[in-house]
Every structure is written in C-alpha cells, then in structure tokens.
Amino acid sequence: MEKILEVKNLSVEFYKGGKVIQALRDTSLTLKRNEVLGIVGESGCGKSTLALSILKLIPEKEGRVISGEILFKGEDLLRLSDEKLLQIRGDRISIIFQDPFTSLNPVFKISKQIAESLVLHKKENLSTQQMEKEVIELLELVKLPKPKDTMLSYPHQLSGGMQQRVMIAISLSSNPEILIADEPTTALDVTIQKEILNLLTELQKKLGLSVVLITHDFGIVAQTCQRVSVMYAGIIVEEASTSEIFHNPLHPYTKGLLESLPSREELPSSSQGKKRRLKAIPGQVPDPSNLPSGCKFHPRCPKVIEDCKPEEPRLREIVKNHWVRCIRAVY
Amino acid sequence: MLQYIVRRLLFMIPLLLGITIITFVIVHLSPGGPADMLTGLSPKVSAEAKARLHSLYGLDKPLHVQYWLWLSRLVRFDFGRSFKDGRLVIIKILERLPATLLLNVLSLLLIFFIALPIGVISAVRQDSFFDKGMTVFVFLGFSVPAFWLALLLMVLFGVVLGWLPISGMHSVNFPYFSFWGKLWDIIKHLILPVFVSAFGGLAYLSRYSRTSMLEVLRQDYIRTARAKGLSEKKVIYRHALRNALIPIVTLLGLSLPALIGGGFIFETIFAWPGMGRLGYQAIMARDYPVIMGVGVIAALLTLLGNLIADITYAFIDPRIRYR
Ligand SMILES: Nc1ncnc2c1ncn2[C@@H]1O[C@H](COP(=O)(O)OP(=O)(O)OP(=O)(O)O)[C@@H](O)[C@H]1O
Ligand SMILES: [Mg+2]
C-alpha cells in the first residue's frame, strides 16, 4: 500500500522552568493510505506531541522540533512556507482532540464554526442557504440528531459526545485524506466512547480516510486499528499489525500494557466493560527531562539485565513487519 | 434578556437607598456644618444665630427624620435647594452634567481604544521589545499619582510650552469664535483633563487585556482554530479577541466608579465645570443638598454603567445569555 504519511527521526523538545523536556526522541512511523494506525502508550510518553508536530501545532514559545522530517506524499511539512502549510493543515490533514468540552470556541454558534471551515477549504462562494445545507449534511454525516437545532446551538448547550461529533464534522468538512484523532474518546462516558469509535470506524471506511488513532487503551486498538505503534518515553518501542501485537507481544512494555487490560477473551469486542485493572505495570513513566540511560524501560522491566543499561536498543525487524526495540526479544 | 434588565433595574433601588443612607450619615456627621461655613467660622456669631440657621435648614431635627424628609422629596425628583445660593440643586447639577459626561465618556473611549490594542499586541508578541516597553509604561502608570502628573503636565504644556490651556472648558473669548474655532477650543481644553483622568485606567486596562489575551491564547479552542488552517490573524482577531473581551468589558464597567470619583479631583485641578467640581465645592461649603444630589447622580451613573457593562457582557458571552 502507498505510504501517505511518514514521520522520520522526529525529535521534539519542550522548555519549561529551565529544563529541557525530551518529548520525542528520534521517532519514526509510517501511515499507509486507508489504514487506521494506532499509537498506544501511557500518559506523558509523547503521543500528543507527535500528533501536534505533524501539523506544526506545537506552540513556538513552549517547544520545538529539533530534527526530523514529516513527509506527506513525499513533501516535508516541516519545511513548508506558512502559506503552503495552511493549505494542508485542516485541509488535507485534520485533527481532533481529547477534550471536546474545551475544543470548540464558546462564543460562536456551531453553524459558524463549521461554516468557517467550509469557507476556508472549499466552498468560498456559497449562498447562505447552500452553506446551511452543507452544514446540515455534515451534521447528518456525524449522526447528530436534529441537525437544525444543533446548528443553532452554542457549544455549552451540547453534551460532550455531541461536541465531539461536531469536532469530527469540522475536521471532515474539507474532505481530508488523513485524520489524526488524539484520544478522541478519553474524556467521554463509556457508552458514548463506543458510539464515537463506531462512528469514526464507519466514516473511515466510507470516506477512505487514513487515520492515526492515539489512545492509551489497547481495547480501542483491538476494535479499530489495523496496525499499532507502541510508544514509550518519546520513542516507538514496538510496531506490528494489531493481531500480531495481541498474539505475539515482544516488548515487555507492550506485554505489560496488554496484561493490564481486562480479560483477553473479552477483547476485541468489549474492552470497556468493567475497567478492572488486573495488573498495572509497576513504577512510573520516567521524567522526560531526566531520562534513564540505555533502554528507557529498564527501571520498570521485569526482564532487565545489565546489557539493557548502557545503550538504547535499535528498532529491529524480528519477523516481517514486526519491529521491536528490545535486546532480549526473541520470536 | 428584557426580564434580566428589568430585574437589574429593580435591584438598583435598594442599592441606591443604601448608598444614600451612608452618604447622608457621613455628610451630616462630619465636623462643621453649613452654618459654620456661611458665617466664616467666625466666633463672633452667636450660638443663637447659628441655631436659627439650623432650624431654617431643618438641621435641628433628628437625623432619621431629616433623611426621611429628604427621601420623600427625592422620590418626587425634588433635590431641594442649595444652602449657598438658594438655586435648585437639580438645575445646578444638570448644568454641570454634560461637561462631566463628556470628560468621562472620552476617557473611557480613550482607555478602551488605546489600552485594548496595547494589551492585545503585547500578548501576541509576548516578550518582544514592544511588550517590554509597555511593561515599563504600565509600571509608571501604576506608580505615578495622577494629580501629580496633572500638575506636571500643566506646567509643561500650559506654562513652559504654552501649547494647551490649563483650566476651564472654554477660552474667555469663546463666544466670538466660529464653529470650528469653538470646537478646536474645546478640544484643546479637553486634552489634558481627558489624558490625566484616563492615565491610570490606561495602564491598568492594558495590563489586564494582556493577561486576558494570554489566557485565551492558551485555550484548546485556539488550537482548534489553528488546526482548521485559519491564518494567525483570523485566529487572533476572530477567535481569541472576542473571548478576551469578556472579562475586559466587566472591568471597564467596574472602573467607572473610579473614573467618576477621580473626577472630583481632576475637575477641581483643571477647573473643569463639571459635576465633580460642583461636588467638591459643595463639600467644602457643607452644602448638604448639593452634596447629596451629586452623590445620588454619581451613584446612578455608576450603576447604569455597570448595567451597560453587564448587558454587553451577556451580549458577547452566550454562556450568560442562554443559561
Ligand atoms: N507545552 C508543553 N510544555 C512543556 N512540556 C510539555 C508540553 N506539552 C507536553 N509536554 C511534556 O512532554 C511530554 C509528552 O507529553 P504528551 O502530551 O505528548 O504526552 P501524551 O502521551 O499525549 O500523554 P497523555 O496520554 O497524558 O495525553 C510530557 O512529559 C509533557 O509533560
Ligand atoms: Mg495526549
């Protein structure tokens, strides 16, 4: 399949209180056309940073890309002029965020926030009625009941699930090729989570989207993704197809994440059921301004040996299309 | 919305009552009475004569009776007559009101239209040369007492350079000017008082706008606006500004009392023929009816200003409008 997006050796740093936070360290990943790629990892391992970097949305005052390339159909987004970037951001590549409650502008009606995107990306000269029709179509696409009422509401009058649907409608208003979804369901109730995920999966198929789905929940991955990248401390530690990851997890971190899920049999159908933590990984994600030497997982790893400590392991292709960054991994 | 406004207007009644009671008590309890002032504090005037003056003004009755009498006249819009010249208080105030309104409205506009852009630009270009320069200006604005600045500017522009008049609202030969001459004359007289009365507010509001704008720029919906592919201009002036305005409008409403209160000082310094100066003179003469009249009108202006601010606030913020 055609590679639509390639992140190559991306490093991103934040600067805060005199400290350098290494949020991404030499991270690479590839998104193919029409696939849903999952990015999984605990809180603070750099998932959002990766998502934001792709669209150059890291606030300049807070951090910056140190090195790397982000190739969209072969063109490096990091080296585009501002003007060219705006033709891709929100147009060819859209993004939705974790918290729908704060992601919509509180002072504008929904219709305005959607229409603004429509005008910007394709329909400059629509009459008011045509514009209204387009907005309603988008709201219907994301299955909002009573689109006419919703259109005239302000964000605070909608529930979280509805707000996230509106965000999805906005992100799809430009017929993008890529959708980046940064934990789109984390802030929502369990039942609503499911609805939104189903909607995303359905739209992905219907519109032929390529999706990067960020989550910290392997259950969601099982339901929606074809491939998964597991991140830890700003770097990819394992990458494979979803079924491969579930059947042959090789990195101890991936294993730990999978073991912390509710019973395996319940997967992939219902991971959300009762969120019983069977076995959490002991210890904590390392402080990205003060990372350990060698393999960044070694202080928490049950299989740690002396050789893990001096040097960070390379990403190895252990079997075809199954990559892992662990010196102890054997197939 | 209409219901909200009516409710707010009704709520103003007890507030005004409270304000008048407090003013009334303070005014009547402060040392020295109108009789002392009229007789020039002369010890030769007998106590008997003073007592006569007191009963003439009704000051011999108990305080609550006096207040009740005053209030019952007030509800008929009868503010009484000045102790000093016997003219109707309401007429005296109405003569002065336009000058005060002109000064305050201009100051408010100046504050809003200068401080807001300064604050917004400082926030957008945080830590730039402009931002740092403005920080110094704000620091000065906070620390320089306005009356001192007034005197300084009067000396510089009025005396040393001779560019601007330093007192009053018109020149002596005002009636002989053409229309444009008159306008220009008033403008020249306005420059210093408006600038001085706006000065403190300018510093305060520009800093506040900066803070408010910085706060808004950190919000998720600003990131969403950027993610849509909007230009930075649109992100700032369409998405951020409207949100940043919400607290600023409230603050502007709240700065009204300070402006009107400051008027008592600035109008006196610049001999501005406004209500503040009238009030100041009345206080000096213990002219109770005029003091009370000015107090009521000033309180009313303040409350109306706050109401306007709240309505504007609801207008900008749908979360207030549709609860
Ligand atoms: N604007 C910022 N300024 C300073 N540090 C930041 C900033 N954004 C992120 N970081 C730091 O970078 C690291 C990676 O953060 P990131 O938000 O990418 O993690 P995440 O994997 O998305 O976590 P979560 O699951 O909590 O969303 C964290 O340690 C975080 O504290
Ligand atoms: Mg995140």
Side-chain angles (χ1 to χ4, degrees):
Chain A
M1 262 194 291
E2 179 200 353
K3 292 173 184 171
I4 189 165
L5 184 75
E6 274 185 279
V7 176
K8 284 188 173 167
N9 307 97
L10 186 68
S11 297
V12 176
E13 288 179 350
F14 290 106
Y15 308 96
K16 201 174 189 175
K19 279 197 214 162
V20 179
I21 298 167
Q22 295 182 285
L24 287 183
R25 305 175 301 112
D26 221 15
T27 299
S28 302
L29 63 87
T30 304
L31 176 70
K32 293 176 195 153
R33 195 178 274 283
N34 283 334
E35 83 170 339
V36 182
L37 171 70
I39 297 184
V40 193
E42 284 167 296
S43 191
C45 64
K47 307 181 296 293
S48 297
T49 307
L50 178 60
L52 292 174
S53 312
I54 293 173
L55 286 176
K56 248 187 162 174
L57 285 170
I58 304 272
E60 273 169 37
K61 279 170 213 142
E62 290 161 31
R64 67 166 190 266
V65 174
I66 301 299
S67 59
E69 291 177 351
I70 294 167
L71 304 177
F72 170 62
K73 298 202 242 176
E75 190 172 29
D76 188 356
L77 297 182
L78 293 176
R79 279 161 192 79
L80 284 185
S81 66
D82 285 354
E83 201 186 328
K84 279 245 173 89
L85 179 72
L86 293 188
Q87 291 168 7
I88 293 190
R89 189 196 269 174
D91 189 274
R92 301 295 83 223
I93 308 180
S94 290
I95 184 166
I96 54 176
F97 301 104
Q98 174 170 344
D99 197 346
F101 297 96
T102 56
S103 291
L104 289 165
N105 194 325
V107 301
F108 296 125
K109 283 189 182 143
I110 301 303
S111 57
K112 181 165 177 179
Q113 304 197 41
I114 297 179
E116 180 179 54
S117 221
L118 279 170
V119 171
L120 198 61
H121 295 296
K122 45 172 194 174
K123 322 253 157 105
E124 287 117 46
N125 332 307
L126 282 189
S127 68
T128 321
Q129 289 98 323
Q130 284 170 313
M131 182 61 77
E132 200 169 290
K133 210 174 126 245
E134 295 265 345
V135 170
I136 290 176
E137 267 170 27
L138 275 166
L139 292 175
E140 278 165 354
L141 182 72
V142 296
K143 304 208 170 128
L144 270 162
K146 300 197 205 148
K148 285 198 178 115
D149 294 346
T150 310
M151 187 173 84
L152 298 177
S153 313
Y154 285 93
H156 74 277
Q157 297 169 301
L158 306 181
S159 70
M162 289 164 90
Q163 290 182 1
Q164 195 60 296
R165 284 172 198 266
V166 170
M167 278 298 290
I168 296 172
I170 292 175
S171 71
L172 297 181
S173 63
S174 59
N175 280 326
E177 294 171 64
I178 300 179
L179 178 66
I180 300 170
D182 185 2
E183 308 206 32
T185 59
T186 308
L188 304 173
D189 292 346
V190 176
T191 45
I192 316 275
Q193 283 192 9
K194 203 147 196 185
E195 286 175 26
I196 296 282
L197 277 179
N198 290 341
L199 175 71
L200 279 176
T201 324
E202 193 185 313
L203 289 173
Q204 185 267 329
K205 293 206 181 89
K206 189 163 163 186
L207 306 174
L209 291 167
S210 316
V211 176
V212 178
L213 180 71
I214 294 173
T215 173
H216 52 245
D217 186 344
F218 254 118
I220 289 177
V221 170
Q223 281 177 59
T224 45
C225 304
Q226 281 103 58
R227 258 183 342 120
V228 202
S229 289
V230 181
M231 275 186 90
Y232 189 75
I235 207 159
I236 306 284
V237 294
E238 184 160 8
E239 189 178 298
S241 70
T242 305
S243 63
E244 175 74 9
I245 285 270
F246 275 96
H247 294 114
N248 290 312
L250 294 180
H251 199 287
Y253 178 61
T254 314
K255 287 184 190 159
L257 285 180
L258 285 169
E259 274 162 21
S260 65
L261 273 176
S263 83
R264 284 254 210 125
E265 284 69 53
E266 282 179 44
L267 291 175
S269 54
S270 80
S271 63
Q272 357 277 53
K274 308 138 220 136
K275 257 210 168 147
R276 236 164 7 110
R277 291 246 141 169
L278 290 188
K279 195 169 143 197
I281 306 173
Q284 271 165 3
V285 183
D287 174 0
S289 63
N290 186 18
L291 289 170
S293 67
C295 171
K296 303 300 173 261
F297 188 61
H298 87 250
R300 298 169 77 186
C301 185
K303 302 231 176 92
V304 62
I305 54 173
E306 273 313 303
D307 285 351
C308 297
K309 295 178 185 170
E311 217 179 307
E312 181 141 39
R314 290 181 304 111
L315 198 60
R316 293 185 289 147
E317 190 168 22
I318 287 219
V319 285
K320 188 152 172 41
N321 294 329
H322 191 159
W323 298 76
V324 64
R325 193 186 293 278
C326 175
I327 51 170
R328 302 210 59 196
V330 279
Y331 199 70
Chain B
M1 195 68 210
L2 196 69
Q3 200 190 352
Y4 171 76
I5 297 176
V6 171
R7 195 150 30 97
R8 284 292 307 266
L9 282 172
L10 287 179
F11 188 65
M12 274 164 67
I13 295 173
L15 221 55
L16 266 175
L17 268 182
I19 295 173
T20 56
I21 291 176
I22 294 172
T23 321
F24 199 87
V25 170
I26 292 178
V27 165
H28 283 78
L29 291 186
S30 56
D36 301 318
M37 298 300 160
L38 270 182
T39 54
L41 296 170
S42 159
K44 285 188 203 131
V45 180
S46 66
E48 214 179 311
K50 279 190 190 170
R52 255 202 320 259
L53 273 172
H54 269 252
S55 70
L56 181 67
Y57 293 146
L59 296 175
D60 47 353
K61 302 191 181 77
L63 205 53
H64 64 272
V65 179
Q66 288 186 42
Y67 179 74
W68 182 248
L69 281 173
W70 177 81
L71 191 66
S72 52
R73 274 187 274 123
L74 185 73
V75 292
R76 283 172 271 134
F77 296 103
D78 177 3
F79 285 75
R81 285 174 185 275
S82 163
F83 286 170
K84 213 168 134 205
D85 54 16
R87 296 182 60 216
L88 281 173
V89 170
I90 188 75
I91 301 281
K92 288 185 77 136
I93 292 178
L94 285 179
E95 282 171 0
R96 300 295 193 98
L97 203 56
T100 291
L101 286 180
L102 182 68
L103 189 64
N104 282 314
V105 169
L106 285 179
S107 302
L108 270 180
L109 288 178
L110 189 76
I111 292 177
F112 190 74
F113 285 104
I114 293 190
L116 186 71
I118 289 180
V120 168
I121 295 173
S122 296
V124 172
R125 306 204 194 134
Q126 199 187 356
D127 298 328
S128 66
F129 184 71
F130 179 86
D131 184 29
K132 287 187 177 133
M134 283 305 140
T135 309
V136 174
F137 161 77
V138 166
F139 181 69
L140 286 178
F142 278 137
S143 42
V144 171
F147 74 90
W148 181 75
L149 181 76
L151 295 176
L152 217 64
L153 292 176
M154 280 164 95
V155 171
L156 178 64
F157 290 103
V159 183
V160 178
L161 295 171
W163 290 352
L164 295 171
I166 54 170
S167 81
M169 194 170 163
H170 321 277
S171 304
V172 217
N173 43 355
F174 184 75
Y176 306 107
F177 290 158
S178 67
F179 172 76
W180 294 111
K182 282 180 178 166
L183 191 69
W184 177 233
D185 190 52
I186 293 186
I187 291 177
K188 276 203 299 192
H189 280 84
L190 272 166
I191 293 177
L192 285 182
V194 168
F195 180 75
V196 169
S197 68
F199 189 69
L202 220 56
Y204 193 64
L205 198 83
S206 64
R207 185 82 331 196
Y208 194 78
S209 321
R210 179 182 182 270
T211 314
S212 170
M213 192 70 183
L214 280 177
E215 176 67 28
V216 168
L217 286 175
R218 260 192 279 125
Q219 301 298 314
D220 287 352
Y221 54 80
I222 295 301
R223 192 179 56 191
T224 306
R226 291 211 174 93
K228 278 179 170 178
L230 287 167
S231 67
E232 197 58 21
K233 255 204 196 108
K234 282 188 182 148
V235 170
I236 288 166
Y237 296 105
R238 195 186 286 170
H239 282 261
L241 191 58
R242 177 108 182 243
N243 282 282
L245 272 178
I246 295 169
I248 295 172
V249 167
T250 322
L251 190 81
L252 212 57
L254 291 178
S255 71
L256 219 62
L259 214 55
I260 290 175
F264 281 69
I265 299 168
F266 304 132
E267 287 186 7
T268 305
I269 295 180
F270 287 105
W272 189 257
M275 203 177 70
R277 183 149 164 262
L278 178 69
Y280 177 81
Q281 288 163 341
I283 291 171
M284 284 326 201
R286 303 292 188 275
D287 193 345
Y288 295 161
V290 176
I291 302 178
M292 288 307 297
V294 169
V296 169
I297 300 294
L300 206 63
L301 283 181
T302 307
L303 293 178
L304 279 177
N306 281 338
L307 180 65
I308 293 173
D310 282 353
I311 293 171
T312 320
Y313 182 69
F315 186 73
I316 307 179
D317 190 347
R319 285 164 295 186
I320 305 291
R321 226 178 319 149
Y322 303 89
R323 252 193 304 226

